[in-house]
């Protein structure tokens, strides 16, 4: 999360908790950083979980050599996480600013410091038990936004 502290402010450590009862008692199952060397990348500051698929963001920060991107994980009922896909930008222009998920489709909005915004659409394949196990499509759409448009901080919503 962008408010955690591992090696410095905004270190980007991710956490998975299990809720044990309705009183809100939580147990830590796992914590990790996908790229510890990119500790100022705001890893997981935007995340979405639905139907056993977890998507986490990676922000960009040119001062700390962190590139924007996203990570896709299959997540079992016991909290076991398996990475099934990821992508990282090759420049510091784009950062993950919003994401949404519906059934077997996910969208990630990569906002740009200029006007090179992208919406990346992903199809999700599942095994016989319903666990996500692969990305089947990866399409890039170029949104038409006004000069001051941004999904930040509201995000996208699918119903």
């Amino acid at each position: 999360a962008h408010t955690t502290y591992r090696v410095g402010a905004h270190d980007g450590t991710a956490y998975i908790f299990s809720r044990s009862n309705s009183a809100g008692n939580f147990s830590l199952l796992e914590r990790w950083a996908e790229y510890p060397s990119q500790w100022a990348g705001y890893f997981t500051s935007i995340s979405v979980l639905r139907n056993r698929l977890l998507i986490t963001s990676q922000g960009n920060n040119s001062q700390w050599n962190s590139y924007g991107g996203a990570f896709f994980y299959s997540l079992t009922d016991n909290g076991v996480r398996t990475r099934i896909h990821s992508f990282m930008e090759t420049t510091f222009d784009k950062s993950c600013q919003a994401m949404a998920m519906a059934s077997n489709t996910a969208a990630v909005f990569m906002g740009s410091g200029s006007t090179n915004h992208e919406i990346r659409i992903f199809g999700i394949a599942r095994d016989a038990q319903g666990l996500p196990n692969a990305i089947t499509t990866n399409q890039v759409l170029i949104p038409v936004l006004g000069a001051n448009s941004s999904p930040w901080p509201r995000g996208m919503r699918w119903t």
Side-chain angles (χ1 to χ4, degrees):
H2 66 287
T3 56
T4 62
Y5 194 96
R6 180 171 41 87
V7 253
H10 312 295
D11 75 341
T13 300
Y15 300 88
I16 295 178
F17 289 91
S18 172
R19 185 173 178 176
S20 57
N21 59 40
S22 61
N25 294 321
F26 294 90
S27 300
L28 178 65
L29 296 177
E30 181 185 14
R31 69 181 193 175
W32 80 100
E34 203 60 58
Y35 291 112
S37 64
Q38 295 188 13
W39 62 270
Y42 307 99
F43 178 61
T44 70
S45 61
I46 301 170
S47 299
V48 63
L49 172 65
R50 184 173 185 166
N51 298 329
R52 301 159 113 186
L53 178 68
L54 171 65
I55 307 173
T56 63
S57 66
Q58 169 73 28
N60 66 341
N61 187 323
S62 60
Q63 182 181 359
W64 295 100
N65 253 2
S66 295
Y67 294 94
F71 298 87
F72 295 68
Y73 305 96
S74 175
L75 194 63
T76 69
D77 290 338
N78 296 329
V80 176
R81 174 185 57 88
T82 303
R83 188 166 88 178
I84 61 170
H85 184 72
S86 66
F87 70 89
M88 298 290 281
E89 295 293 326
T90 56
T91 69
F92 296 114
D93 181 53
K94 292 183 186 70
S95 182
C96 182
Q97 294 183 358
M99 52 184 65
M101 198 180 329
S103 300
N104 294 322
T105 305
V108 176
F109 182 92
M110 296 299 290
S112 170
S114 57
T115 58
N116 299 320
H117 309 294
E118 293 179 346
I119 299 173
R120 295 187 181 202
I121 308 294
F122 300 91
I124 311 301
R126 296 178 183 274
D127 66 15
Q129 291 75 39
L131 281 173
N133 61 5
I135 298 299
T136 59
T137 56
N138 183 353
Q139 180 180 7
V140 177
L141 306 174
I142 307 301
V144 178
L145 299 174
N148 295 318
S149 297
S150 173
W152 196 261
R154 291 183 204 103
M156 299 180 290
R157 182 183 167 120
W158 289 359
T159 54

